[in-house]
mmCIF file of all heavy atoms in Angstrom:
data_model
loop_
_atom_site.group_PDB
_atom_site.id
_atom_site.type_symbol
_atom_site.label_atom_id
_atom_site.label_comp_id
_atom_site.label_asym_id
_atom_site.label_seq_id
_atom_site.Cartn_x
_atom_site.Cartn_y
_atom_site.Cartn_z
ATOM 1 N N GLY F 438 88.466 60.672 74.473
ATOM 2 C CA GLY F 438 88.772 61.713 75.427
ATOM 3 C C GLY F 438 87.817 61.793 76.598
ATOM 4 O O GLY F 438 87.836 62.784 77.337
ATOM 5 N N ARG F 439 86.993 60.776 76.785
ATOM 6 C CA ARG F 439 86.000 60.806 77.852
ATOM 7 C C ARG F 439 86.561 60.404 79.210
ATOM 8 O O ARG F 439 85.954 60.704 80.241
ATOM 9 C CB ARG F 439 84.836 59.881 77.497
ATOM 10 C CG ARG F 439 84.072 60.312 76.257
ATOM 11 C CD ARG F 439 83.055 59.275 75.852
ATOM 12 N NE ARG F 439 82.299 59.671 74.669
ATOM 13 C CZ ARG F 439 81.452 58.893 74.026
ATOM 14 N NH1 ARG F 439 81.239 57.650 74.449
ATOM 15 N NH2 ARG F 439 80.812 59.346 72.956
ATOM 16 N N THR F 440 87.704 59.731 79.207
ATOM 17 C CA THR F 440 88.313 59.257 80.444
ATOM 18 C C THR F 440 89.778 59.659 80.472
ATOM 19 O O THR F 440 90.490 59.500 79.474
ATOM 20 C CB THR F 440 88.196 57.730 80.568
ATOM 21 O OG1 THR F 440 86.828 57.342 80.474
ATOM 22 C CG2 THR F 440 88.763 57.258 81.899
ATOM 23 N N THR F 441 90.212 60.179 81.598
ATOM 24 C CA THR F 441 91.612 60.535 81.777
ATOM 25 C C THR F 441 92.129 59.998 83.101
ATOM 26 O O THR F 441 91.367 59.811 84.054
ATOM 27 C CB THR F 441 91.827 62.052 81.733
ATOM 28 O OG1 THR F 441 91.024 62.676 82.751
ATOM 29 C CG2 THR F 441 91.448 62.616 80.376
ATOM 30 N N TYR F 442 93.435 59.760 83.155
ATOM 31 C CA TYR F 442 94.105 59.337 84.365
ATOM 32 C C TYR F 442 95.371 60.147 84.523
ATOM 33 O O TYR F 442 96.020 60.518 83.541
ATOM 34 C CB TYR F 442 94.462 57.848 84.314
ATOM 35 C CG TYR F 442 93.278 56.919 84.264
ATOM 36 C CD1 TYR F 442 92.854 56.369 83.064
ATOM 37 C CD2 TYR F 442 92.589 56.581 85.424
ATOM 38 C CE1 TYR F 442 91.770 55.511 83.009
ATOM 39 C CE2 TYR F 442 91.506 55.725 85.377
ATOM 40 C CZ TYR F 442 91.104 55.193 84.171
ATOM 41 O OH TYR F 442 90.025 54.336 84.129
ATOM 42 N N TYR F 443 95.732 60.407 85.768
ATOM 43 C CA TYR F 443 96.927 61.166 86.062
ATOM 44 C C TYR F 443 97.700 60.526 87.199
ATOM 45 O O TYR F 443 97.112 59.945 88.119
ATOM 46 C CB TYR F 443 96.582 62.597 86.464
ATOM 47 C CG TYR F 443 95.946 63.405 85.366
ATOM 48 C CD1 TYR F 443 94.565 63.489 85.256
ATOM 49 C CD2 TYR F 443 96.726 64.088 84.444
ATOM 50 C CE1 TYR F 443 93.974 64.228 84.250
ATOM 51 C CE2 TYR F 443 96.138 64.829 83.436
ATOM 52 C CZ TYR F 443 94.768 64.897 83.341
ATOM 53 O OH TYR F 443 94.187 65.633 82.333
ATOM 54 N N ALA F 444 99.004 60.642 87.114
ATOM 55 C CA ALA F 444 99.825 60.286 88.251
ATOM 56 C C ALA F 444 99.555 61.267 89.386
ATOM 57 O O ALA F 444 99.288 62.448 89.154
ATOM 58 C CB ALA F 444 101.305 60.310 87.873
ATOM 59 N N ASP F 445 99.629 60.776 90.610
ATOM 60 C CA ASP F 445 99.378 61.641 91.760
ATOM 61 C C ASP F 445 100.320 62.842 91.787
ATOM 62 O O ASP F 445 99.937 63.932 92.225
ATOM 63 C CB ASP F 445 99.517 60.851 93.059
ATOM 64 C CG ASP F 445 98.398 59.850 93.250
ATOM 65 O OD1 ASP F 445 97.344 59.993 92.611
ATOM 66 O OD2 ASP F 445 98.582 58.915 94.058
ATOM 67 N N SER F 446 101.517 62.660 91.302
ATOM 68 C CA SER F 446 102.518 63.707 91.357
ATOM 69 C C SER F 446 102.213 64.887 90.434
ATOM 70 O O SER F 446 102.767 65.972 90.621
ATOM 71 C CB SER F 446 103.898 63.142 91.016
ATOM 72 O OG SER F 446 103.902 62.566 89.720
ATOM 73 N N VAL F 447 101.342 64.682 89.446
ATOM 74 C CA VAL F 447 101.050 65.746 88.486
ATOM 75 C C VAL F 447 99.592 66.166 88.490
ATOM 76 O O VAL F 447 99.246 67.168 87.846
ATOM 77 C CB VAL F 447 101.447 65.338 87.055
ATOM 78 C CG1 VAL F 447 102.903 64.896 87.010
ATOM 79 C CG2 VAL F 447 100.535 64.248 86.514
ATOM 80 N N LYS F 448 98.754 65.454 89.195
ATOM 81 C CA LYS F 448 97.328 65.749 89.202
ATOM 82 C C LYS F 448 97.081 67.162 89.735
ATOM 83 O O LYS F 448 97.621 67.558 90.762
ATOM 84 C CB LYS F 448 96.576 64.726 90.047
ATOM 85 C CG LYS F 448 95.075 64.736 89.810
ATOM 86 C CD LYS F 448 94.420 63.526 90.455
ATOM 87 C CE LYS F 448 92.952 63.436 90.085
ATOM 88 N NZ LYS F 448 92.318 62.227 90.649
ATOM 89 N N GLY F 449 96.265 67.903 89.010
ATOM 90 C CA GLY F 449 96.004 69.283 89.363
ATOM 91 C C GLY F 449 96.934 70.267 88.703
ATOM 92 O O GLY F 449 96.644 71.474 88.689
ATOM 93 N N ARG F 450 98.043 69.783 88.166
ATOM 94 C CA ARG F 450 99.006 70.644 87.490
ATOM 95 C C ARG F 450 99.077 70.374 85.991
ATOM 96 O O ARG F 450 99.275 71.295 85.205
ATOM 97 C CB ARG F 450 100.402 70.469 88.093
ATOM 98 C CG ARG F 450 100.490 70.823 89.566
ATOM 99 C CD ARG F 450 101.931 70.815 90.051
ATOM 100 N NE ARG F 450 102.539 69.494 89.917
ATOM 101 C CZ ARG F 450 103.625 69.231 89.189
ATOM 102 N NH1 ARG F 450 104.221 70.215 88.515
ATOM 103 N NH2 ARG F 450 104.117 68.002 89.135
ATOM 104 N N PHE F 451 98.942 69.118 85.612
ATOM 105 C CA PHE F 451 99.030 68.720 84.205
ATOM 106 C C PHE F 451 97.643 68.374 83.670
ATOM 107 O O PHE F 451 96.786 67.866 84.404
ATOM 108 C CB PHE F 451 99.924 67.494 84.038
ATOM 109 C CG PHE F 451 101.389 67.727 84.299
ATOM 110 C CD1 PHE F 451 101.852 68.904 84.851
ATOM 111 C CD2 PHE F 451 102.301 66.738 83.976
ATOM 112 C CE1 PHE F 451 103.202 69.109 85.094
ATOM 113 C CE2 PHE F 451 103.651 66.923 84.208
ATOM 114 C CZ PHE F 451 104.107 68.107 84.765
ATOM 115 N N THR F 452 97.445 68.606 82.388
ATOM 116 C CA THR F 452 96.201 68.257 81.727
ATOM 117 C C THR F 452 96.500 67.593 80.392
ATOM 118 O O THR F 452 97.214 68.159 79.566
ATOM 119 C CB THR F 452 95.314 69.485 81.486
ATOM 120 O OG1 THR F 452 95.026 70.135 82.730
ATOM 121 C CG2 THR F 452 94.002 69.074 80.831
ATOM 122 N N ILE F 453 95.960 66.402 80.197
ATOM 123 C CA ILE F 453 96.097 65.722 78.921
ATOM 124 C C ILE F 453 94.834 65.954 78.102
ATOM 125 O O ILE F 453 93.724 65.945 78.638
ATOM 126 C CB ILE F 453 96.378 64.212 79.107
ATOM 127 C CG1 ILE F 453 96.705 63.562 77.758
ATOM 128 C CG2 ILE F 453 95.215 63.513 79.793
ATOM 129 C CD1 ILE F 453 97.205 62.128 77.880
ATOM 130 N N SER F 454 94.995 66.166 76.826
ATOM 131 C CA SER F 454 93.864 66.362 75.936
ATOM 132 C C SER F 454 94.223 65.847 74.552
ATOM 133 O O SER F 454 95.387 65.558 74.274
ATOM 134 C CB SER F 454 93.462 67.843 75.875
ATOM 135 O OG SER F 454 94.521 68.638 75.373
ATOM 136 N N ARG F 455 93.223 65.722 73.706
ATOM 137 C CA ARG F 455 93.488 65.251 72.355
ATOM 138 C C ARG F 455 92.553 65.923 71.371
ATOM 139 O O ARG F 455 91.440 66.332 71.712
ATOM 140 C CB ARG F 455 93.361 63.726 72.272
ATOM 141 C CG ARG F 455 91.956 63.181 72.490
ATOM 142 C CD ARG F 455 91.979 61.668 72.672
ATOM 143 N NE ARG F 455 92.530 60.986 71.504
ATOM 144 C CZ ARG F 455 92.936 59.721 71.485
ATOM 145 N NH1 ARG F 455 92.872 58.995 72.605
ATOM 146 N NH2 ARG F 455 93.411 59.180 70.372
ATOM 147 N N ASP F 456 93.016 66.022 70.150
ATOM 148 C CA ASP F 456 92.237 66.549 69.048
ATOM 149 C C ASP F 456 92.349 65.525 67.930
ATOM 150 O O ASP F 456 93.317 65.524 67.170
ATOM 151 C CB ASP F 456 92.754 67.910 68.608
ATOM 152 C CG ASP F 456 91.877 68.559 67.557
ATOM 153 O OD1 ASP F 456 91.112 67.850 66.883
ATOM 154 O OD2 ASP F 456 91.955 69.793 67.399
ATOM 155 N N ASN F 457 91.368 64.647 67.851
ATOM 156 C CA ASN F 457 91.443 63.554 66.892
ATOM 157 C C ASN F 457 91.379 64.038 65.444
ATOM 158 O O ASN F 457 91.919 63.390 64.548
ATOM 159 C CB ASN F 457 90.325 62.551 67.158
ATOM 160 C CG ASN F 457 90.536 61.787 68.442
ATOM 161 O OD1 ASN F 457 91.657 61.684 68.940
ATOM 162 N ND2 ASN F 457 89.466 61.237 69.002
ATOM 163 N N ALA F 458 90.717 65.155 65.218
ATOM 164 C CA ALA F 458 90.658 65.709 63.870
ATOM 165 C C ALA F 458 92.040 66.116 63.378
ATOM 166 O O ALA F 458 92.306 66.103 62.176
ATOM 167 C CB ALA F 458 89.704 66.896 63.822
ATOM 168 N N LYS F 459 92.913 66.481 64.307
ATOM 169 C CA LYS F 459 94.270 66.887 63.972
ATOM 170 C C LYS F 459 95.300 65.799 64.260
ATOM 171 O O LYS F 459 96.497 66.022 64.056
ATOM 172 C CB LYS F 459 94.647 68.155 64.726
ATOM 173 C CG LYS F 459 93.810 69.364 64.357
ATOM 174 C CD LYS F 459 94.274 70.596 65.116
ATOM 175 C CE LYS F 459 93.481 71.819 64.712
ATOM 176 N NZ LYS F 459 93.926 73.032 65.448
ATOM 177 N N ASN F 460 94.848 64.655 64.746
ATOM 178 C CA ASN F 460 95.749 63.557 65.095
ATOM 179 C C ASN F 460 96.831 64.001 66.073
ATOM 180 O O ASN F 460 98.022 63.726 65.888
ATOM 181 C CB ASN F 460 96.389 62.963 63.837
ATOM 182 C CG ASN F 460 95.423 62.120 63.036
ATOM 183 O OD1 ASN F 460 94.331 61.790 63.489
ATOM 184 N ND2 ASN F 460 95.828 61.763 61.825
ATOM 185 N N THR F 461 96.402 64.689 67.107
ATOM 186 C CA THR F 461 97.351 65.199 68.085
ATOM 187 C C THR F 461 96.862 64.953 69.509
ATOM 188 O O THR F 461 95.661 64.887 69.765
ATOM 189 C CB THR F 461 97.597 66.706 67.922
ATOM 190 O OG1 THR F 461 96.349 67.406 67.980
ATOM 191 C CG2 THR F 461 98.277 67.005 66.596
ATOM 192 N N VAL F 462 97.807 64.808 70.405
ATOM 193 C CA VAL F 462 97.530 64.744 71.829
ATOM 194 C C VAL F 462 98.452 65.739 72.515
ATOM 195 O O VAL F 462 99.593 65.936 72.079
ATOM 196 C CB VAL F 462 97.704 63.312 72.381
ATOM 197 C CG1 VAL F 462 99.140 62.828 72.205
ATOM 198 C CG2 VAL F 462 97.282 63.242 73.838
ATOM 199 N N TYR F 463 97.961 66.355 73.569
ATOM 200 C CA TYR F 463 98.696 67.408 74.237
ATOM 201 C C TYR F 463 98.897 67.087 75.710
ATOM 202 O O TYR F 463 98.119 66.355 76.315
ATOM 203 C CB TYR F 463 97.951 68.738 74.134
ATOM 204 C CG TYR F 463 97.594 69.143 72.730
ATOM 205 C CD1 TYR F 463 96.350 68.840 72.200
ATOM 206 C CD2 TYR F 463 98.507 69.830 71.933
ATOM 207 C CE1 TYR F 463 96.017 69.208 70.912
ATOM 208 C CE2 TYR F 463 98.179 70.204 70.645
ATOM 209 C CZ TYR F 463 96.932 69.894 70.137
ATOM 210 O OH TYR F 463 96.600 70.263 68.854
ATOM 211 N N LEU F 464 99.918 67.667 76.260
ATOM 212 C CA LEU F 464 100.116 67.640 77.702
ATOM 213 C C LEU F 464 100.434 69.059 78.142
ATOM 214 O O LEU F 464 101.536 69.556 77.899
ATOM 215 C CB LEU F 464 101.248 66.692 78.103
ATOM 216 C CG LEU F 464 101.452 66.536 79.610
ATOM 217 C CD1 LEU F 464 100.258 65.814 80.239
ATOM 218 C CD2 LEU F 464 102.745 65.782 79.914
ATOM 219 N N GLN F 465 99.454 69.697 78.753
ATOM 220 C CA GLN F 465 99.652 71.029 79.293
ATOM 221 C C GLN F 465 100.217 70.896 80.695
ATOM 222 O O GLN F 465 99.590 70.291 81.566
ATOM 223 C CB GLN F 465 98.332 71.799 79.323
ATOM 224 C CG GLN F 465 98.443 73.196 79.914
ATOM 225 C CD GLN F 465 99.296 74.118 79.068
ATOM 226 O OE1 GLN F 465 99.141 74.174 77.862
ATOM 227 N NE2 GLN F 465 100.208 74.832 79.717
ATOM 228 N N MET F 466 101.379 71.460 80.922
ATOM 229 C CA MET F 466 102.068 71.343 82.194
ATOM 230 C C MET F 466 102.174 72.720 82.829
ATOM 231 O O MET F 466 102.815 73.617 82.284
ATOM 232 C CB MET F 466 103.458 70.731 82.007
ATOM 233 C CG MET F 466 103.445 69.387 81.291
ATOM 234 S SD MET F 466 105.091 68.631 81.174
ATOM 235 C CE MET F 466 105.890 69.805 80.080
ATOM 236 N N ASN F 467 101.539 72.874 83.968
ATOM 237 C CA ASN F 467 101.561 74.122 84.710
ATOM 238 C C ASN F 467 102.232 73.918 86.058
ATOM 239 O O ASN F 467 102.376 72.796 86.534
ATOM 240 C CB ASN F 467 100.143 74.655 84.915
ATOM 241 C CG ASN F 467 99.428 74.965 83.625
ATOM 242 O OD1 ASN F 467 100.043 75.389 82.645
ATOM 243 N ND2 ASN F 467 98.113 74.768 83.615
ATOM 244 N N SER F 468 102.619 75.015 86.671
ATOM 245 C CA SER F 468 103.260 74.975 87.989
ATOM 246 C C SER F 468 104.392 73.960 88.023
ATOM 247 O O SER F 468 104.499 73.134 88.933
ATOM 248 C CB SER F 468 102.226 74.662 89.073
ATOM 249 O OG SER F 468 101.198 75.625 89.091
ATOM 250 N N LEU F 469 105.240 74.030 87.041
ATOM 251 C CA LEU F 469 106.303 73.042 86.906
ATOM 252 C C LEU F 469 107.297 73.111 88.057
ATOM 253 O O LEU F 469 107.599 74.187 88.579
ATOM 254 C CB LEU F 469 107.024 73.233 85.579
ATOM 255 C CG LEU F 469 106.265 72.693 84.369
ATOM 256 C CD1 LEU F 469 106.815 73.279 83.082
ATOM 257 C CD2 LEU F 469 106.350 71.169 84.334
ATOM 258 N N LYS F 470 107.790 71.942 88.421
ATOM 259 C CA LYS F 470 108.744 71.793 89.499
ATOM 260 C C LYS F 470 110.024 71.177 88.959
ATOM 261 O O LYS F 470 109.996 70.480 87.942
ATOM 262 C CB LYS F 470 108.178 70.885 90.593
ATOM 263 C CG LYS F 470 106.837 71.321 91.151
ATOM 264 C CD LYS F 470 106.313 70.287 92.132
ATOM 265 C CE LYS F 470 104.968 70.687 92.688
ATOM 266 N NZ LYS F 470 104.441 69.660 93.625
ATOM 267 N N PRO F 471 111.144 71.391 89.633
ATOM 268 C CA PRO F 471 112.379 70.732 89.189
ATOM 269 C C PRO F 471 112.242 69.216 89.106
ATOM 270 O O PRO F 471 112.892 68.594 88.259
ATOM 271 C CB PRO F 471 113.392 71.140 90.265
ATOM 272 C CG PRO F 471 112.899 72.454 90.748
ATOM 273 C CD PRO F 471 111.391 72.340 90.721
ATOM 274 N N GLU F 472 111.403 68.635 89.944
ATOM 275 C CA GLU F 472 111.177 67.195 89.925
ATOM 276 C C GLU F 472 110.505 66.716 88.642
ATOM 277 O O GLU F 472 110.482 65.517 88.377
ATOM 278 C CB GLU F 472 110.324 66.766 91.125
ATOM 279 C CG GLU F 472 110.870 67.208 92.463
ATOM 280 C CD GLU F 472 110.278 68.536 92.909
ATOM 281 O OE1 GLU F 472 110.839 69.582 92.528
ATOM 282 O OE2 GLU F 472 109.267 68.516 93.640
ATOM 283 N N ASP F 473 109.949 67.634 87.870
ATOM 284 C CA ASP F 473 109.331 67.279 86.600
ATOM 285 C C ASP F 473 110.347 67.115 85.479
ATOM 286 O O ASP F 473 109.977 66.707 84.375
ATOM 287 C CB ASP F 473 108.304 68.335 86.190
ATOM 288 C CG ASP F 473 107.139 68.424 87.163
ATOM 289 O OD1 ASP F 473 106.656 67.367 87.612
ATOM 290 O OD2 ASP F 473 106.718 69.562 87.464
ATOM 291 N N THR F 474 111.586 67.451 85.742
ATOM 292 C CA THR F 474 112.625 67.328 84.731
ATOM 293 C C THR F 474 112.773 65.875 84.297
ATOM 294 O O THR F 474 112.993 64.989 85.123
ATOM 295 C CB THR F 474 113.959 67.850 85.266
ATOM 296 O OG1 THR F 474 113.849 69.254 85.525
ATOM 297 C CG2 THR F 474 115.076 67.617 84.260
ATOM 298 N N ALA F 475 112.636 65.639 83.006
ATOM 299 C CA ALA F 475 112.692 64.286 82.471
ATOM 300 C C ALA F 475 112.558 64.343 80.961
ATOM 301 O O ALA F 475 112.235 65.387 80.385
ATOM 302 C CB ALA F 475 111.576 63.414 83.057
ATOM 303 N N VAL F 476 112.795 63.207 80.333
ATOM 304 C CA VAL F 476 112.431 63.034 78.943
ATOM 305 C C VAL F 476 110.992 62.545 78.915
ATOM 306 O O VAL F 476 110.661 61.554 79.566
ATOM 307 C CB VAL F 476 113.349 62.033 78.220
ATOM 308 C CG1 VAL F 476 112.881 61.811 76.786
ATOM 309 C CG2 VAL F 476 114.788 62.539 78.235
ATOM 310 N N TYR F 477 110.149 63.224 78.180
ATOM 311 C CA TYR F 477 108.740 62.890 78.106
ATOM 312 C C TYR F 477 108.438 62.150 76.812
ATOM 313 O O TYR F 477 108.842 62.583 75.731
ATOM 314 C CB TYR F 477 107.884 64.154 78.202
ATOM 315 C CG TYR F 477 107.792 64.687 79.606
ATOM 316 C CD1 TYR F 477 108.892 65.273 80.220
ATOM 317 C CD2 TYR F 477 106.603 64.589 80.328
ATOM 318 C CE1 TYR F 477 108.815 65.744 81.520
ATOM 319 C CE2 TYR F 477 106.519 65.060 81.625
ATOM 320 C CZ TYR F 477 107.622 65.638 82.218
ATOM 321 O OH TYR F 477 107.540 66.111 83.507
#
């Protein structure tokens, strides 16, 4: 979790994080736009 990368279209709005103890990764999406509509 020391390095992250973001697409320009989501930078500043989305945050990726992980919790290895729980074997999970998250994508927090804020300020969502209709253009974000997709299968993730």
Side-chain angles (χ1 to χ4, degrees):
R439 296 173 179 173
T440 304
T441 58
Y442 295 99
Y443 295 94
D445 290 341
S446 59
V447 306
K448 195 169 187 177
R450 299 188 298 121
F451 291 10
T452 302
I453 188 171
S454 61
R455 67 192 300 165
D456 186 339
N457 290 338
K459 296 182 178 180
N460 286 349
T461 55
V462 62
Y463 306 95
L464 184 68
Q465 178 66 46
M466 305 184 293
N467 298 326
S468 301
L469 283 163
K470 305 175 181 179
E472 306 93 273
D473 296 318
T474 295
V476 176
Y477 284 70

